[in-house]
Amino acid sequence: MADFPTTSLVVIIGGGVVGTSGLYHLATAGWTDCVLLEKNELTAGSTWHAAGNCPSFSTSWAVMNMQRYSLGLYAGLAEAVDYPMNYHVTGSIRLAHSKERMMEFERARSMGLYQGMDLEMMAVGDIKDRYPFIETHDLAGALWDPDDGDIDPAQLTQALAKGARDMGARIERFCPATGVSRENGEWIVHTPKGDIRCEKVVNAAGYYAQRVGEWFKPYGGRTVPMATMSHQYFLTDEIPELAAWTKENGRKVPLLRDVDSSYYLRQDKNGLNLGPYERNCKGHWMTPDDPMPDDFSFQLYPDDLERLEWYIEDACARVPILASGGLQRNINGPIPYAPDGLPLIGPMPGVPNAYEACVFTFGITQGGGAGKVLAEWITEGQTEWDMWAVDPRRYTDYTDQDYCNQKAMEVYGHEYAMHFPHHEWPAGRDKKLSPVDAKVRALGAVMGAYNGWERANWFAKDGDDLSEEATQTWDRAGVWSSRVKEECEAVRDGCGVLDLPGFSRFMIKGAGAADALRARVTGGLPKVGRMNLLYFADDRGRILTEMSCIRMGEDEFLLITAATAQWHDRDVVTDMMPDTVHVEDITTTRDTLIVTGPKARDVLSGLTDADLTLPWLTHQSATVAGQPAHLIRVSFAGELGWEVHALNDHVPAIYDAVLEAGATPFGMYALNSLRMEKGYRAWKGDLSTDYSMFEGGLDRFVKLDKPQDFPGKAALMNEKQQGSKKRFVTMIVDAGDQDAPYMSTVWQGDAVVGETTSGDWGYRVNASIALGLVRTDLAVPGTELEIDIFGTRRKAVVQPDQPLWDPKNERLRA
Ligand SMILES: Cc1cc2nc3c(=O)[nH]c(=O)nc-3n(C[C@H](O)[C@H](O)[C@H](O)COP(=O)(O)OP(=O)(O)OC[C@H]3O[C@@H](n4cnc5c(N)ncnc54)[C@H](O)[C@@H]3O)c2cc1C
């Protein structure tokens, strides 16, 4: 093939809206030497049959950012690339059946406002003004999204393709990628028309992503965590009342989303389009006896209207004119789901120079933003917004197909569900168990999943209501709250023990390890026998990650990090180490017990030969209950305490002995409350690339005067001179029944001046605490601000830059 490209900077596999948007954004960034391969015609996967709805609503800050960006892009795209498109911005009304739903809307409204959007709360009485055909008697209110609308997905894709081509990027249609190989640090993508050598490759293959992902396994990859669901919508014939209204008003009615009943209803021409996410949902191609065909281009599943009956009846009761529209056409197409319903965008776990932009459930509304994020990953290795919510590395090795299938069914069936802070979704559980799992449960633990690991959230007593219904609240108080209080008090007054399986840990050993670390982290390394916190910044000086560093020898370190950070931090650690250094992920072979409280020494003294007088931030090998262990004198709970690390087989005896010696078991809810009182940051809440090291208040972990250069040093020097715009603070809040959730807006008068990154009740200080960032000039102790908590402004007072509990760390040093 004379004209077929044999080399390229980037090859994108898949020409749906997402791959095409990626190509468009790469070209816009100046990376025009890129090729997109599409096995059939563009849009042949899920894109061609999508309904094209484009909401901005999300309760995830990152996803809202992405969707907001898409809508802005789409508004100007037709003109920018000279490709006319059908894009109707009709606005949407999201209905609430309950007070809790209205609170969810309030939170999204406040986040949206911060991102520059005008989401608006609606009283029941106002709904008919905007949507005359609706029954409202049983509603609590609604949310108005003025930017919502619908776009023709095929035209959108073609417009992006035209824009990309015009800038010089290439699209090869009817040209499937058939495999990949690697040679001299380059990728070779194989196609029937020839091979393409490239630096970077992207899996944007939609519901085929798992199949494409298998090619990367020999190069360190894993099976893409996903399942494919069947999703339907149907279109009605013309409805005379709707036609008359549209004629009279010169526009369509807004899109309706009845999220509690779980469907959307949109005007399509002069008929309606009903699209439910039904509980009795159906997956396809989930098991070996139902394999995905090699090619499903432009195909649909057979109609399955029976599944939708309840939703059709419900929608007819809500909007009675729907019943008068005869069924014109049903669409039943494949829609891919990752286990949490969010897409995979970012570095392909374990594989060099490979990326994912696939498994999109809302790819039309997210496609624009996804293209931007993908292009940033490829061209800069970092993204403007923290995108952990969609980072492929948020899943690790526990996502077998059974897990993916169960979660896809659960998420699809609860697509619009509220995510309450004390609710744990039941599907796909028990993937990774601690060596003392049975014992922990026998003590009454109510479990939560953390990177697949089951940990105790709190410990119930006989008679506690453990139903899922009991957790359907935004309130702090619930059956758990008095137990969490008791657990915190046990840690404050006596000694608590928390089993913490799945702490991610890497052993690093070999000549040059210390030098490599010094050149990577913002601060200094601990001396041998001691531990400290290390921070890793990105080139812009933003907080990439935090790890505990336990120094075992001159060139030997144990790095410990959050459970969910495992594959993210694996990349950080392995990327920086020279060949002389051996890096080993030892996460699964060991478990950790946190033994903490003023009586921790008494509890441990009869069980161990360790020197319990060694000071805070030291570590030592010893035996506990006759078992070999490593003791680290540190406590995330902020009391005297030790982390006891041991091989799994040795942990049950230690746990039993610690309990017998008088320790009280406590759970993750208590730990969260306790760490907030100390101002200790949580990963990807308080610590994220949305903030620089200085904004995050981590100045004492930045050594600008150390001789080594490190990523972010120049940016941080610059920030030091210019001053930071925001500053991390601890606030005490006059909260009502709820503490501040993540990304609540902080106000001074009529201006938003910051946001919260975590909020919880502190049982030792007896107050509601919010951690967050505010404008630097307001980060002054005593400043009175307000936090919008589910729509109510609550007074919040900035606290001194020190822990609320035990400000001088005397209890830790005791
Ligand atoms: C009925 C229905 C309604 C929907 N409505 C909406 C909606 O209203 N709003 C919304 O946001 N989302 C909606 N969606 C979801 C949306 O369709 C998808 O999220 C989106 O189309 C995904 O785009 P994509 O580019 O990731 O994948 P796809 O469109 O599936 O594109 C992947 C492409 O990769 C190609 N490909 C695969 N393997 C190879 C290979 N080996 N070589 C080359 N090419 C390959 C495929 O042919 C395909 O064209 C709907 C989905 C369904 C099923």
Side-chain angles (χ1 to χ4, degrees), residues 443-465:
L443 292 167
V446 180
M447 309 299 281
Y450 299 79
N451 189 29
W453 290 94
E454 295 289 330
R455 291 178 179 169
N457 277 336
W458 59 284
F459 285 83
K461 297 209 166 129
D462 285 350
D464 286 350
D465 176 4

Side-chain angles (χ1 to χ4, degrees), residues 32-78:
T32 51
D33 180 16
C34 298
V35 177
L36 181 148
L37 300 175
E38 167 52 51
K39 68 195 280 190
N40 195 282
E41 180 53 271
L42 293 178
T43 76
S46 288
T47 298
W48 70 278
H49 55 61
N53 304 328
C54 290
S56 64
F57 180 96
S58 174
T59 49
S60 154
W61 179 254
V63 172
M64 187 183 255
N65 251 327
M66 204 163 63
Q67 295 177 172
R68 175 185 53 76
Y69 171 88
S70 292
L71 305 195
L73 174 75
Y74 300 167
L77 187 64

